[in-house]
Amino acid sequence: MNRDPLDPLIALRPWEAPEVTSWGRLPMNAVDRRSGSLPLDGDWRFQLLSGPDAPVGGSWSSAHVPGVWTTQGTDDLPQYLNVRMPFAEFPPSTPAANPTGVYEREVTVPAEWAGRRIVLQVGAAESVLLVHVDGHPVGISKDSHLASEFDLTGLIAPGSAGVLRLTVVKWSDASHIEDQDQWWHGGITRSVRLYATDPLHLADVTVRAAHGGELRVDCRVRDADGPLPAGWYVSGDLDGLPLTQDTEFDRLNTEDERVSDFLGEARMRTVVPDVRTWNAETPELYGLTVRLHRADGTVADTSSHRIGFRDVEIVGRDLLVNGERIYVRGVNRHDFHPLTGRTVSYDDMRADLILLKRFGFNAIRTAHYPNDPALYDLADELGFYVVDEADIESHDHAHEIADDPRYLNAFVDRVSRMVLRDKNHPSVIIWSLGNESDYGANHDAAAGWVRRHDPTRPVQYEGAAKLGWAEPGVASDIACPMYAPLEDCVAHALSGEQTKPLIQCEYSHAMGNSNGTLADHWAAIESTPGLQGGFIWEFWDHGILQRVSDGRPVGRGGAGLYDNGVAAPGYRWAYGGDFGERLHDGAFIADGVVFPDRTPKPVMYEHREIAAPVRIEAYRHEGIVLGNHQHFRGLDWLSGEWELSLADGRVLTAPAELPDLRPGQTAAVPLPFALPGDGGEAWLTLRITTAREEAWAPAGTVVCLPQVRLRAAGAVPEGLTNRFSAAPVEVDADGLLVHPVLTTAPTLSLWRAPTDNDELGGMAPRWRSWGLDALVRKVVDVRRDGDQVTVLAEYAAEVGVVRHVQVFTPVEGGVRIEESAELPDALADVARVGSVFETVPGLDLMEWFGPGPWESYPDRRTAPVGHHAVPVDQLFTPYLRPQESGGRNGVRHFRLSAPDATGLAVALDGPRQVSVTRHRAEDLTSVTHHDQLVPRPGCVVHIDAAHRGLGTASCGPDTFPSYLVAPGVHRWSWTLRAL
C-alpha cells in the first residue's frame, strides 16, 4: 500500500498476530464526549484491495461511512454462515485473499481547538483497523463491535487540513473469535468523529447508584501534557441542582485523593432522599453532570450521564432487581438492517425497542457482541434489562481457542473494554463473556477481571454449563443454557440441587413458522420457583433486500421497496446462498420474531398475551378475578374495555374500571354484562390499553387482551342459516363432491408445506419417505342411500394404506360432510389429518368465529376467541422461505365472500384448525422465495381434524407429544353452504 517498510503497522501484521489487540489505541472509558464533536460521517474516497499488502491504485470510488462495503456495490458480497468459518485456515491463520478497504478524506480541525487534545473515534470497524494521518502511522485496533480512539494531537494542526486514512482488513486472527451466527461483512460500521478535550481531562467516570438512593461517583483524571497539576478538583450536580457537601456530594479531601504524577482519582458521594428507582417498568433516570476543575476553579472537562438507581443481586437461586424477583422476557438482538447490513441508525434502534416494548418484552441480550452505544441509552430510557455480551464467539474452533494462551489477551481485552464502556448504564444488569466458545482458562481470566472491577453485577456464560448447571466456581453466576428441554429445566428446579437462577440465553427458535409451545414454557416458568425466563432467538429475520435482476444488494437507496414483511416486485429478501457464495447455511439466518422490515410475525402477538401485565385469574358466577402480574407498577397507567363475543355474531362492549392493585395482588370485579340465556359459546375479553402516552406508545395502544370463557359451546346458532340458497348434493363418478362454489372437491390431506422446523428437525424427510406429499387417491366404493352418499377411498403410503370415508348429506341450504380417516400405526406423527378443497375466484374476505385475528396453531394459540374479518390475501404469513402458513386454530365457523356478498359458509363440528390461502402445499414447496410464487385466483382451504404443532426443532426442542398427530381413526364433520 505504498508504505514505508519500517511502518510499525506493517511490521506487526496485526491481522496475523493474536497477541496484538491494539497499538496506539487509547484506553476505553465511560466519559460522555458527544457534545461539541466534529462528525466525519458521509462519503469517503474508497478502494477495495485484494489484501492488506496490495498497493493502493490510482482510481478511487466512493463509500458511505458508516456502512459495510458488502452492500455498497463492491464485488465482495455478504456471506452467511452459522458455525463454519468462511475460510479453511485454522486459528490464528487467515486466507491469502483478504479484502481490504481503504477509506480516505480530508479533515479540517476547527481553529478554536488550538491548545486542546484532539481525539479520533471510530465507532466500529470489521475486523482490523489501521489509522494513518498524512501518511504517518497512528495506531491499530481489533474488535469489530467496540469503538477505538486515537490521539491525533500534533498530527493535524487546528485550523488546517490533513488526510485521514482508515484501512480496514476483513479477515484476521480475530475473525476466529467473531464467528457469530450472522452475515459476514466488511467496513466501518459505526460513526466516525473527532472531539477535543483540555489536556487536563476526565479519563473515566464510574457511577454506582443503589436503589436505596446511595450514589458514588469515581473519577479518574489525566493530563496529556505530563504530571498532573496541583489543586485540581471535581464537582457535580444531579438534575441541574448544585450539590454541596452538606446536602448532596462529599468530595474527598486532597489527602484522600490517590494522586500520582499522571493519574488522579477522586470520589463523590451522596444519598438521595425519596429516590425514584430504575427498573424496566418504571425506568426513572436522573441527570448527572461531573466537572473537572483546575486550581483556579475554571472547568477543564465535563461529562454528562443519565443514571438510574437500582440494585442487581443473586440471592439463593433468584435474580433480584431492587430486591424483587423478576421474570426475564427477553429476545436476542443483532445490530442489523436489510439495506445497510451491520449499520443501524438511532431512529432504527429506537423503533426496535419500541416495538419490543409494545409486545411485552423487557430484556435484551446483545447477541453476540456489544451493540451500538445508542441502544443502551434507549434501553435506559425505555426500560429494558440488558445482558451485555462480549464480542467473543469461536464456534468453529471453540475447543482449541478456549484455552489457547495466544487468545488470552483478546478475551480479557474484549470483555474489559465492554465493561468499561457500558458500566454506567442501569439497563445493563448482567455481563456475558460471549457465546458458543466452549469453556476454558481464557473465560476464567475474563470473568476474574469483571468480578474484581464490577462486583455490582453477575457474570454469565452459557459454555460453563457443560460442567453442570449447579457447578460452583465456574465463570457463570447464572445457569443460562441454550435450548434446554423444558422438562429438564423443571426437573432441575425441583431437584433440590439448583444453586443459581436458571434463565435460558436462547430457548425458542423463531425460524419461519415456529415458536410452538411458547405459552407452555411460560406456564412452567411462572409456576416453578427457580425458573425466571429466557431469551427468544432472535429479533430479526436477517434478510437483505436484493434485486432479482442482478442478484446484488440494493443498499442504502432501497427504502420504500418493502412493506408488511414483503419485498416489492422485482426484489426479494436474500438469505444464505443468494449472493453466489459457495459455503452458506441457507435460510437459517431468517430466524427472527420480526421480518427484515420490522413487521411483527404472529409470534409477537403470542408473546404479548403471554406477557400480559393484567390477567383474568378466574371466573365465578359473581364476577371476574383480575391480577396484576407486574413486578413494580400498579394499574393506573392502563385503561380497560370489556367485550363479550357470542357465537351467534353478537358483540357487546362496556368500559372497564380497573381495580387499584399492587404487583402480585388480585381483586374480584363484577361481571359487566348479564349473560344472555339463549345458548351458545360466550367469551369475555378485557381489552387493556395505555391510559396515557408512554415513552414507547401513544395513549390507546393495545397492551394485552386477556380472556375467559363464560359459557361452553351449544348447538350451532340458527342465525348461520340465514341467507343461504339451495345446494343439492352431487357426487361424480370418482366420488368427488360437485359444488357450485368449489373448483376442486374436498379430499384427504396428510401433508403440509414443510416448515423450517419440519425440514431441519427431520420430520419432512420422513413424511416424504412415506409418500405423504404425493398420495394417490383410489375410490373403493360409492354408495347412495336416498339423498345421502357415502364414498370410501384409499390413499396408499409407503408404509400402509389410509382409509378415508366421506358421508355427504343434504341439509337446509347446503351439504353436511362427515369424514373419517384411519391411519395405520406406521404413520405416527404426520403433519395433519383433514380436508382440502379450492373455491371459485373472487372470494376475498374471510370472516370467522374463533381465535384471531392473527395466525395460530395448536401449540401457538393465545389469540382471543371472537369474531374476526381479514382479507384472504392478508391471512398468509410470508415467512422468508415459503412454507406452511396462514393457519387459524380453533375455528368454529367461517365464511368466504366476494364484494357482492356471494360466497360460501362452513360450520364445523367443533374448534378446528383452518387455513385459507392462495397457495397449494406444492406451490410453496416448489419455490425458494416469495417472488417466485404465483397466487391462485381462488382460495385453497384446509379443514383439519388434527394438525401437528410447530415446535422449534430447527434449533431446539420439538413440540410436545400432546401436539403430535397420532395414528388411528380421526373423525370430523362440517357443513358447506353457498351464500
Side-chain angles (χ1 to χ4, degrees):
M1 296 172 61
N2 297 333
R3 300 181 176 113
D4 187 311
L6 299 180
D7 185 337
L9 303 188
I10 294 303
L12 287 172
R13 297 184 66 81
W15 49 91
E16 297 178 347
E19 65 277 7
V20 177
T21 59
S22 67
W23 178 83
R25 188 182 69 195
L26 297 173
M28 182 62 79
N29 62 82
V31 179
D32 179 20
R33 301 290 188 194
R34 282 170 288 192
S35 61
S37 64
L38 176 65
L40 300 180
D41 292 350
D43 292 332
W44 289 50
R45 295 190 296 274
F46 179 76
Q47 290 190 29
L48 184 61
L49 309 180
S50 60
D53 296 320
V56 175
S59 176
W60 294 84
S61 62
S62 175
H64 191 85
V65 173
V68 290
W69 66 62
T70 40
T71 65
Q72 294 194 56
T74 70
D75 291 331
D76 184 31
L77 298 174
Q79 181 178 5
Y80 168 61
L81 286 165
N82 175 24
V83 177
R84 296 173 293 173
M85 290 293 291
F87 49 81
E89 285 76 7
F90 275 68
S93 299
T94 58
N98 193 350
T100 300
V102 181
Y103 298 80
E104 272 194 5
R105 63 164 290 169
E106 280 74 32
V107 176
T108 300
V109 176
E112 58 268 27
W113 287 7
R116 294 174 66 78
R117 170 175 167 266
I118 300 169
V119 178
L120 168 70
Q121 183 187 83
V122 180
E126 186 174 332
S127 69
V128 175
L129 172 69
L130 301 89
V131 180
H132 290 76
V133 173
D134 289 333
H136 299 290
V138 176
I140 64 174
S141 178
K142 298 181 186 177
D143 190 343
S144 295
H145 301 284
L146 282 174
S148 302
E149 294 189 344
F150 305 90
D151 193 332
L152 304 189
T153 309
L155 295 175
I156 308 179
S160 63
V163 176
L164 177 61
R165 173 179 289 185
L166 304 179
T167 303
V168 180
V169 185
K170 185 174 183 179
W171 306 125
S172 71
D173 64 277
S175 300
H176 293 284
I177 57 172
E178 294 182 355
D179 182 20
Q180 290 108 352
D181 179 10
Q182 59 178 335
W183 292 99
W184 288 99
H185 289 292
I188 299 171
T189 56
R190 295 179 189 158
S191 289
V192 179
R193 64 194 180 101
L194 291 179
Y195 67 84
T197 74
D198 192 272
L200 179 67
H201 60 278
L202 291 165
D204 200 7
V205 174
T206 302
V207 178
R208 290 182 180 171
H211 90 286
E214 302 87 357
L215 175 65
R216 172 178 140 186
V217 182
D218 293 315
C219 303
R220 296 170 67 89
V221 178
R222 292 185 186 274
D223 195 322
D225 289 341
L228 285 165
W232 62 268
Y233 64 96
V234 294
S235 69
D237 63 61
L238 197 64
D239 273 350
L241 298 176
L243 304 176
T244 67
Q245 182 175 346
D246 291 337
T247 59
E248 300 289 347
F249 278 135
D250 288 324
R251 185 180 66 83
L252 288 182
N253 296 324
T254 303
E255 61 267 24
D256 294 324
E257 296 171 354
R258 300 189 302 276
V259 181
S260 68
D261 282 345
F262 300 102
L263 177 62
E265 297 183 357
R267 177 174 296 166
M268 298 180 286
R269 295 179 185 269
T270 192
V271 176
V272 179
D274 301 320
V275 67
R276 306 184 311 274
T277 56
W278 186 98
N279 58 73
E281 294 170 14
T282 56
E284 297 283 356
L285 295 176
Y286 288 76
L288 170 69
T289 301
V290 177
R291 300 181 187 86
L292 170 63
H293 299 266
R294 304 181 188 91
D296 62 4
T298 56
V299 176
D301 202 1
T302 302
S303 183
S304 298
H305 305 264
R306 297 284 285 166
I307 68 169
F309 289 81
R310 64 103 185 91
D311 287 336
V312 181
E313 59 183 332
I314 293 176
V315 177
R317 57 181 184 172
D318 293 329
L319 175 70
L320 308 181
V321 173
N322 298 340
E324 295 291 332
R325 182 178 186 270
I326 62 166
Y327 287 125
V328 176
R329 303 182 186 277
V331 70
N332 289 272
R333 181 193 173 276
H334 277 286
D335 280 341
F336 168 78
H337 192 277
L339 302 179
T340 55
R342 199 91 71 221
T343 298
V344 187
S345 71
Y346 174 88
D347 289 342
D348 283 325
M349 284 182 278
R350 187 177 188 88
D352 291 352
L353 298 197
I354 283 175
L355 186 69
L356 286 169
K357 195 79 174 177
R358 291 181 183 179
F359 283 90
F361 291 91
N362 70 356
I364 295 167
R365 177 178 175 228
T366 66
H368 298 292
Y369 43 78
N371 283 187
D372 188 289
L375 181 109
Y376 302 81
D377 294 334
L378 289 164
D380 294 342
E381 173 197 343
L382 297 173
F384 282 92
Y385 302 120
V386 174
V387 174
D388 204 4
E389 189 150 276
D391 188 11
I392 300 173
E393 181 170 340
S394 56
H395 208 155
D396 199 14
H397 300 286
H399 185 67
E400 306 99 286
I401 290 177
D403 286 303
D404 188 337
R406 294 175 298 177
Y407 279 92
L408 173 62
N409 287 347
F411 274 56
V412 177
D413 182 70
R414 287 165 181 249
V415 172
S416 63
R417 293 181 75 236
M418 171 186 71
V419 172
L420 289 167
R421 187 193 75 167
D422 298 334
K423 60 190 173 184
N424 295 335
H425 288 282
S427 58
V428 176
I429 65 167
I430 298 170
W431 302 116
S432 170
L433 304 180
N435 184 66
E436 292 179 318
S437 300
D438 205 302
Y439 179 46
N442 293 341
H443 296 98
D444 287 333
W449 188 95
V450 175
R451 286 169 170 159
R452 178 72 172 89
H453 183 81
D454 180 25
T456 69
R457 296 176 175 94
V459 175
Q460 77 171 47
Y461 177 59
E462 176 269 335
K466 75 180 218 177
L467 301 179
W469 293 352
E471 185 70 18
V474 297
S476 190
D477 303 317
I478 294 170
C480 51
M482 187 178 289
Y483 305 110
L486 179 60
E487 59 269 25
D488 291 355
C489 296
V490 172
H492 178 67
L494 299 178
S495 68
E497 300 176 356
Q498 184 181 6
T499 60
K500 306 173 183 180
L502 198 159
I503 304 169
Q504 292 208 59
C505 66
E506 298 175 22
Y507 78 100
S508 182
H509 194 252
M511 185 178 182
N513 193 356
S514 187
N515 301 107
T517 74
L518 191 63
D520 304 81
H521 271 74
W522 274 97
I525 290 167
E526 294 186 359
S527 62
T528 308
L531 305 185
Q532 283 191 253
F535 296 83
I536 292 174
W537 185 266
E538 64 167 310
F539 180 54
W540 289 99
D541 274 357
H542 291 221
I544 294 177
L545 191 65
Q546 180 187 50
R547 287 186 295 267
V548 176
S549 59
D550 60 10
R552 300 186 70 84
V554 172
R556 294 172 58 86
L561 294 177
Y562 46 78
D563 184 47
N564 291 322
V566 179
Y571 300 86
R572 68 181 182 186
W573 300 122
Y575 51 75
D578 287 339
F579 295 111
E581 61 267 48
R582 182 178 59 85
L583 292 176
H584 66 84
D585 285 322
F588 207 70
I589 195 68
D591 48 11
V593 293
V594 302
F595 289 102
D597 65 351
R598 207 184 291 105
T599 297
K601 291 183 182 177
V603 66
M604 290 286 276
Y605 296 91
E606 179 90 352
H607 186 273
R608 187 185 73 184
E609 300 311 309
I610 292 169
V614 183
R615 315 270 180 93
I616 297 178
E617 307 288 352
Y619 161 54
R620 306 186 183 109
H621 291 298
E622 66 273 15
I624 301 293
V625 178
L626 297 181
N628 180 355
H629 281 251
Q630 300 171 102
H631 298 113
F632 300 99
R633 207 173 188 186
L635 303 185
D636 58 302
W637 66 285
L638 299 170
S639 292
E641 181 184 57
W642 295 108
E643 181 178 288
L644 179 64
S645 295
L646 302 171
D648 63 5
R650 286 178 290 169
V651 177
L652 308 176
T653 62
E657 183 175 343
L658 300 180
D660 182 13
L661 294 178
R662 296 176 59 82
Q665 289 185 335
T666 61
V669 298
L671 273 175
F673 306 101
L675 191 61
D678 49 2
E681 275 188 277
W683 290 83
L684 183 66
T685 303
L686 179 58
R687 178 178 294 272
I688 297 292
T689 60
T690 51
R692 54 183 178 268
E693 183 175 354
E694 299 284 325
W696 48 272
T701 299
V702 174
V703 174
C704 57
L705 300 167
Q707 186 179 69
V708 65
R709 188 177 69 178
L710 301 185
R711 187 167 58 208
V716 176
E718 287 301 315
L720 290 177
T721 63
N722 294 343
R723 300 172 55 240
F724 291 115
S725 58
V729 174
E730 182 181 346
V731 175
D732 66 15
D734 294 321
L736 297 173
L737 177 68
V738 178
H739 195 281
V741 296
L742 304 185
T743 57
T744 65
T747 55
L748 180 67
S749 175
L750 305 180
W751 167 258
R752 68 186 181 195
T755 66
D756 292 313
N757 292 330
D758 295 339
E759 291 286 12
L760 297 178
M763 288 74 77
R766 184 170 68 248
W767 296 337
R768 289 191 187 95
S769 72
W770 292 343
L772 302 187
D773 59 332
L775 289 175
V776 177
R777 178 178 181 271
K778 176 185 176 183
V779 178
V780 176
D781 188 31
V782 178
R783 296 182 182 178
R784 295 184 179 272
D785 183 4
D787 291 334
Q788 189 178 79
V789 180
T790 301
V791 178
L792 170 62
E794 293 182 344
Y795 293 77
E798 292 295 324
V799 292
V801 174
V802 179
R803 294 170 57 86
H804 179 220
V805 177
Q806 292 177 307
V807 179
F808 302 103
T809 305
V811 297
E812 181 184 357
V815 57
R816 180 173 177 80
I817 302 133
E818 299 170 273
E819 305 192 60
S820 67
E822 185 177 358
L823 276 62
D825 290 344
L827 287 182
D829 187 17
V830 299
R832 63 171 16 128
V833 178
S835 312
V836 60
F837 59 87
E838 296 178 28
T839 74
V840 295
L843 307 185
D844 299 328
L845 180 68
M846 179 180 177
E847 301 168 85
W848 75 96
F849 181 58
W854 56 86
E855 177 190 88
S856 55
Y857 283 83
D859 59 354
R860 201 186 69 213
R861 55 177 182 180
T862 61
V865 175
H867 298 277
H868 309 286
V870 175
V872 169
D873 291 337
Q874 296 177 21
L875 294 168
F876 182 71
T877 305
Y879 299 107
L880 260 65
R881 187 189 67 79
Q883 57 195 270
E884 163 66 30
S885 166
R888 300 301 189 274
N889 182 259
V891 175
R892 278 72 164 165
H893 55 77
F894 67 94
R895 65 176 64 194
L896 299 172
S897 60
D900 63 0
T902 61
L904 62 87
V906 172
L908 302 166
D909 61 341
R912 298 293 186 185
Q913 181 80 21
V914 172
S915 73
V916 179
T917 71
R918 303 291 190 194
H919 309 289
R920 295 176 179 170
E922 56 263 36
D923 299 338
L924 300 172
T925 56
S926 65
V927 300
T928 58
H929 293 77
H930 281 272
D931 65 290
Q932 301 165 322
L933 282 174
V934 179
R936 294 182 179 272
C939 299
V940 180
V941 181
H942 282 271
I943 299 172
D944 294 330
H947 195 103
R948 190 187 197 277
L950 300 170
T952 65
S954 57
C955 187
D958 193 7
T959 192
F960 296 162
S962 58
Y963 298 120
L964 301 181
V965 178
V969 178
H970 295 264
R971 292 184 172 86
W972 67 106
S973 63
W974 48 291
T975 301
L976 172 67
R977 293 182 170 93
L979 296 177

